[in-house]
Amino acid sequence: MTEDQLDEARAKEAWRLARAEGPGRILHGCDAVVILAARLAREGWTPTDPDLIEARRACAGLVPSTTGWGARVLSGDEDADFSVRCALAAIKQAKAKLERGQ
């Protein structure tokens, strides 16, 4: 991800956060969004790897929804789980093979 792409992702996340805090926050103008974007940059926020999101989706349906595990997987709370790590590794490996034309 380039620096410009990272800046754009942080700006989008800042707008998402501002909207989540309710319309009152946005009514104060763009200053709130600028402050949120600056905070994200200062804290080193980066967007979630799209491959990790796919791995979460793949693993979320492995266990019946009555356990709540799928929701925890989708939220990122189970990223260290073996099945999520294996799914992520498989996705990365498959993409690498596709890029090599295999």
Side-chain angles (χ1 to χ4, degrees):
M1 178 174 276
T2 67
E3 290 296 320
D4 288 339
Q5 291 171 325
L6 184 56
D7 289 344
E8 184 178 337
R10 286 178 174 150
K12 287 179 182 177
E13 178 66 3
W15 275 107
R16 187 193 69 75
L17 290 171
R19 281 191 216 101
E21 291 183 12
R25 180 74 181 236
I26 294 178
L27 290 177
H28 290 93
C30 292
D31 288 348
V33 177
V34 170
I35 291 167
L36 285 168
R39 187 192 83 212
L40 292 169
R42 183 180 66 248
E43 293 174 354
W45 180 90
T46 57
T48 303
D49 180 353
D51 293 342
L52 177 57
I53 293 171
E54 285 304 313
R56 289 174 183 168
R57 288 182 186 149
C59 292
L62 295 175
V63 177
S65 61
T66 55
T67 65
W69 188 77
R72 289 194 314 275
V73 168
L74 291 174
S75 72
D77 290 344
E78 300 291 340
D79 286 351
D81 184 83
F82 183 72
S83 60
V84 177
R85 289 184 294 131
C86 286
L88 178 59
I91 290 168
K92 296 269 187 207
Q93 185 178 27
K95 282 187 169 185
K97 283 186 176 185
L98 285 173
E99 288 174 2
R100 290 191 307 262
Q102 296 178 338

